[in-house]
Amino acid sequence: MSIGYLPEFRCRPEIIENQTRFRVWAPFKSSVELVLIETDGSQSAHVMQAGEWGYFELTVPHLKDGSLYAYRLDNGPLRPDPCSLWQPEGVHLPSAIYDATSFTWTDENWIPIAQNDLVFYELHVGTFSDEGTFDAIIPRLNALKELGITAIELLPVAQFPGDRNWGYDGVHPFAVQNSYGGPAGLQRLIDAAHQIGLSVILDVVYNHLGPEGNYLGEFGAYFSGTYSTAWGQALNYDGPHSDPVRQYFLENVWHWIHDFHLDGLRLDAVHSIYDKSPVHLLTEIKQVADAAAKARGSEAIIIAESLLNDVRMIRPLEQGGYGLDAEWNEDFHHAVQAFMTEEHTGKYSDFGEVQHLKTIFEENFSLSGQYSRFRQKRWGAPAAGFAGSRFVAGIQNHDHIGNRAQGERFSQLLAPAEYRLTACLSLLSPFLPLIFMGEEYGETHPFPFFCSFQDLKLIRNVRKGRKRDFGFGRNVLDPQKESTYEMAKLQWTWPEGSEQAGYRQMYHDLLQARRTWPAIKNPLTRTACLRPDQENTTLLEWKYESESQTLLCLFNLTDQMQTIEFNERTILFRSEDQRYTATTDIEPASTGKLRPFECAVMSSIP
C-alpha cells in the first residue's frame, strides 16, 4: 500500500452501522460545523470535533441518499463538502449523501482487457448523444463493441459549473456531474459496459481545479505557493501541509477504482503535477489504483498524458521510473497532423517531414533529446526499445480538435482518400489506438471548446482568451453560447453507400485485423523505411515481423499514382477498396500500383 494513503483518514461520508460519519480537513479553522438541511429548507448545525492532522469529525444517525448537508467554517457561509459525491444543484450549493457502496453490481464475471488489446474510444458524455447523459450512452455500447472498441474513455465527469463543459474545469473531484446523471448514472454505465465486455477508463484532473466554485482553498493548504499551471494554481503535493492534500487525491483514486469499478484512469497533463517528494505522487497513484482493484478482484491501468517525452513515466520503479502502465504519444499526432495538413506553426513546427513518421514508428518518439524549434531547447529523451503498447496514440482527440478556432475535425480538413490514409496510419501504428468519438465514421460536426460559467468576469476573460489565442481578427466560436455546445453533438449516422459508412467499415476491418494479424498483434521487430526509388521519398513502409508472419504496410503519401513491387506477397488490405469508398465507378487498381493517398498491407511468411 502507498505510504501516502491512509484509509483511517478517508474524507468521503461513510455509512457505518446505521450511522453516517463525516470528516473534513480544515487545519487552520477554530471551528467547523456540519449543517444538515431538511427538505423544507430548515437547517440544524452540529459542532464537529477536532482530531489528528487538522481533521474534524462527526458521526450522526444514518442519513438516506439525497440528504443535503454543508460545512460552516469559523461561522462563515455554508460551503459544499470537498469530498462530496453528489452535487444535485451544482458547484455552489449544498452537497447530498450518496452511498456508492450500495449499488448492486452485476459484473462479478468481468475479466479486465489485457493492455495489449486495448482500443480506446474517447467520448464526451454531454455531446455523445442528444440527451447528454450516462444512460443515453448505454444503447450505443453494442455498436462500439461491434466496431472493435475494447475501452471507452470518458472525458472528466467531476462536477463543474453549469451543465456544459469539457470537464477540465471540475471543482468537486469526487462528485459526478449532476447534468450527466450523477453518481448512480455513472455506475449504471460502467456496469452495463462490463456486461458486454468493454472496459471503462476515466479522465481525471489532478493538476489543477477549475476557477468557479473552487472552495478548497478555504478549507486548507490545497494549493501551492511555489508552482503554478497554465490553468491557475498548482496543487500542493510537496510543500508544508501537503500530506493531507496527497491523501485527498489518493483517496479519489481509490474511490473511482474500488467503489465505481473503473478499469483505469487517464491522468491529465501530468507535466503540471509538481512533486519533489522522495516517492512521486504518480507512483503512489499507481500503487493505490492497484490496491483498490485487487480489493475487488480486478486490475487497473494508469495512463499519463505527458508532453515531456519522458519515459520515466513508464519505467519500473527499480529503474528509477514512476511505474505507470502507459503514456500518451503526442509526437505521433503532431507528425501526422503537420504532414497531412501542412500546418507548421506552434507545436507543429517541429514536424512535417515524412522522416518523422518513420522515426516514431521505430523509436516511439521523434523528439528524444533533439532541439525543439517550438520550445527553443532540447526536448525529450530516448524511448526506443519500449513496446508500442506502452503508448496511446491517435489522429484526433478533444484537445487537437477543440483547440482550433472552429473546432474542425480531420474529416473537415482532408479529402476522403486522405482521411482514410490518415486513419490507416493510426490503426496500423504499433501504439494503442485512441479514437475520438465520431472519428470512425468521419463525423462532420465540429467539437469546439464550450462552457457554461455563471461568473460574468470569468465569462468575459474566457471569451477574450480564446480570441487572443487564435487572433482577434479570426471568427472564433463563442464558448459560452449554448449553440456552440449543441453543434458539437454527434450525428451518429453512417447511411449505407455513404463515405461515412465506408469509413466505419474500414475502421471495423482494421481493428479486427489488429486482433488477428500475428505480426501486428505480437511483433518481434518493427522497422520502417522510405522507398528510395520514389522521386520525393513519400512512399512510407512500415514492417512488422513475428515468428509466423511478416507484414508490410505501404503508405502513398502523395496525390500521384505510385509503382510498387508486390513480389508474390498476399494483399490483405487496401484503403481505396470499393468497400470503403462512396465512389462506384472506381477503376480496379493494378497490383503494381498504389492510388493517390492509398494504404496497402501485404503479408508473407518469414
Side-chain angles (χ1 to χ4, degrees):
M1 174 62 69
S2 162
I3 62 172
Y5 178 60
L6 303 172
E8 61 267 30
F9 287 116
R10 288 178 182 168
C11 68
R12 290 162 294 165
E14 290 186 294
I15 311 300
I16 304 173
E17 296 180 353
N18 293 319
Q19 294 180 311
T20 304
R21 182 198 57 75
F22 293 89
R23 182 183 287 122
V24 64
W25 185 57
F28 311 120
K29 301 303 178 183
S30 299
S31 68
V32 179
E33 292 178 307
L34 169 69
V35 179
L36 302 179
I37 303 163
E38 302 298 332
T39 54
D40 61 3
S42 60
Q43 301 179 1
S44 59
H46 306 264
V47 177
M48 302 183 73
Q49 303 302 311
E52 297 181 83
W53 291 81
Y55 287 93
F56 286 77
E57 301 181 28
L58 183 67
T59 299
V60 301
H62 173 67
L63 299 174
K64 65 180 181 180
D65 281 0
S67 299
L68 297 177
Y69 71 99
Y71 291 123
R72 180 179 285 123
L73 309 174
D74 286 347
N75 298 313
L78 294 185
R79 292 298 186 225
D81 181 0
C83 286
S84 165
L85 272 65
W86 189 9
Q87 290 297 121
E89 301 298 328
V91 298
H92 299 288
L93 295 176
S95 305
I97 294 293
Y98 182 77
D99 182 7
T101 65
S102 67
F103 183 81
T104 302
W105 294 94
T106 62
D107 64 349
E108 60 276 1
N109 296 321
W110 166 245
I111 300 175
I113 305 295
Q115 181 166 333
N116 197 48
D117 295 326
L118 287 170
V119 177
F120 299 98
Y121 190 87
E122 188 187 44
L123 69 87
H124 176 267
V125 176
T127 55
F128 182 69
S129 67
D130 289 339
E131 298 87 349
T133 64
F134 297 119
D135 286 329
I137 297 172
I138 294 174
R140 295 182 176 179
L141 291 178
N142 280 315
L144 296 178
K145 172 79 171 179
E146 185 274 335
L147 177 67
I149 301 301
T150 61
I152 59 172
E153 181 176 314
L154 304 175
L155 267 65
V157 301
Q159 187 74 40
F160 52 74
D163 56 9
R164 306 186 303 277
N165 198 290
W166 277 13
Y168 298 92
D169 292 308
V171 292
H172 286 281
F174 290 83
V176 179
Q177 178 65 18
N178 60 341
S179 59
Y180 291 170
L186 177 57
Q187 289 180 313
R188 288 192 297 270
L189 170 61
I190 296 168
D191 195 49
H194 284 174
Q195 283 295 310
I196 66 167
L198 289 175
S199 287
V200 185
I201 311 296
L202 179 64
D203 194 339
V204 292
V205 184
Y206 294 155
N207 54 60
H208 78 288
L209 269 72
E212 183 178 318
N214 180 353
Y215 298 111
L216 272 188
E218 296 184 20
F219 284 84
Y222 281 94
F223 298 100
S224 171
T226 304
Y227 316 108
S228 62
T229 77
W231 312 282
Q233 292 176 290
L235 289 154
N236 175 26
Y237 290 127
D238 62 2
H241 311 288
S242 59
D243 286 344
V245 180
R246 297 170 74 95
Q247 160 79 16
Y248 176 83
F249 285 97
L250 293 175
E251 180 180 351
N252 189 255
V253 174
W254 182 280
H255 166 76
W256 292 128
I257 301 296
H258 184 270
D259 296 351
F260 279 75
H261 289 207
L262 281 161
D263 301 291
L265 303 174
R266 179 265 193 189
L267 310 179
D268 179 64
V270 299
H271 46 275
S272 290
I273 292 177
Y274 301 102
D275 182 17
K276 295 181 180 179
S277 305
V279 179
H280 198 281
L281 179 73
L282 295 176
T283 295
E284 294 191 322
I285 286 172
K286 174 58 179 169
Q287 291 172 343
V288 171
D290 285 346
K294 184 178 180 180
R296 62 177 181 85
S298 191
E299 300 174 358
I301 183 171
I302 300 296
I303 304 164
E305 181 207 15
S306 170
L307 303 186
L308 301 177
N309 284 22
D310 184 354
V311 290
R312 276 185 298 179
M313 301 294 165
I314 56 176
R315 284 196 190 280
L317 299 183
E318 58 271 21
Q319 296 179 18
Y322 299 147
L324 304 185
D325 298 292
E327 64 178 297
W328 273 30
N329 188 338
E330 289 290 87
D331 275 15
F332 176 80
H333 166 266
H334 296 351
V336 173
Q337 174 102 15
F339 188 87
M340 296 302 297
T341 67
E342 299 183 351
E343 297 177 11
H344 299 145
T345 59
K347 61 188 177 183
Y348 301 123
S349 60
D350 290 314
F351 302 92
E353 300 175 9
V354 69
Q355 177 67 39
H356 297 133
L357 294 170
K358 174 185 182 299
T359 301
I360 292 168
F361 179 83
E362 293 183 315
E363 302 177 16
N364 298 313
F365 290 150
S366 175
L367 291 171
S368 55
Q370 300 91 331
Y371 182 79
S372 163
R373 288 191 293 269
F374 174 52
R375 298 172 179 87
Q376 299 184 2
K377 62 179 181 179
R378 288 176 296 166
W379 197 257
F386 282 89
S389 60
R390 304 302 299 279
F391 302 91
V392 177
I395 55 171
Q396 301 180 87
N397 67 37
H398 65 281
D399 271 333
H400 302 146
I401 302 169
N403 289 331
R404 302 176 66 90
Q406 297 291 313
E408 308 100 316
R409 294 168 174 263
F410 263 147
S411 57
Q412 298 167 278
L413 300 173
L414 302 174
E418 295 173 292
Y419 189 76
R420 286 186 286 272
L421 178 71
T422 303
C424 290
L425 287 167
S426 175
L427 300 179
L428 293 170
S429 84
F431 313 119
L432 299 180
L434 181 133
I435 297 166
F436 184 66
M437 62 176 196
E439 172 193 326
E440 74 277 15
Y441 63 86
E443 175 65 64
T444 55
H445 280 187
F447 187 77
F449 177 72
F450 47 78
C451 53
S452 54
F453 294 120
Q454 296 166 311
D455 183 284
L456 295 180
K457 182 179 179 181
L458 177 59
I459 293 170
R460 288 194 296 270
N461 287 340
V462 170
R463 285 170 170 161
K464 186 181 297 184
R466 295 292 289 181
K467 290 181 179 179
R468 181 190 62 243
D469 291 344
F470 298 110
F472 285 96
R474 295 192 63 185
N475 180 22
V476 181
L477 293 170
D478 184 348
Q480 187 71 17
K481 281 189 175 180
E482 186 171 359
S483 59
T484 303
Y485 166 74
E486 291 294 333
M487 71 171 58
K489 292 196 172 185
L490 295 186
Q491 298 171 81
W492 195 251
T493 181
W494 43 91
E496 185 175 353
S498 65
E499 292 285 7
Q500 288 70 34
Y503 295 148
R504 194 177 188 282
Q505 184 64 50
M506 190 188 78
Y507 269 75
H508 171 276
D509 291 352
L510 285 179
L511 290 177
Q512 183 181 50
R514 288 183 68 94
R515 299 192 298 270
T516 56
W517 291 344
I520 197 170
K521 184 174 175 62
N522 295 298
L524 296 176
T525 62
R526 48 184 161 108
T527 55
C529 69
L530 303 176
R531 288 297 182 92
D533 55 327
Q534 302 301 310
E535 181 179 349
N536 297 314
T537 62
T538 44
L539 182 64
L540 174 65
E541 176 186 295
W542 287 350
K543 183 178 182 180
Y544 291 98
E545 290 188 277
S546 69
E547 292 182 355
S548 60
Q549 184 186 47
T550 296
L551 278 184
L552 292 181
C553 306
L554 300 179
F555 304 91
N556 180 2
L557 299 172
T558 74
D559 60 0
Q560 303 296 314
M561 193 80 76
Q562 295 218 42
T563 301
I564 58 174
E565 294 293 334
F566 282 80
N567 296 327
E568 299 183 354
R569 297 185 180 94
T570 302
I571 302 174
L572 300 179
F573 168 85
R574 300 192 72 151
S575 62
E576 292 305 291
D577 188 281
Q578 285 194 355
R579 291 174 297 170
Y580 309 137
T581 73
T583 306
T584 58
D585 59 351
I586 191 169
E587 287 285 336
S590 163
T591 56
K593 299 287 186 181
L594 274 184
R595 295 192 186 91
F597 300 111
E598 184 174 22
C599 167
V601 180
M602 300 180 293
S603 173
S604 63
I605 304 300

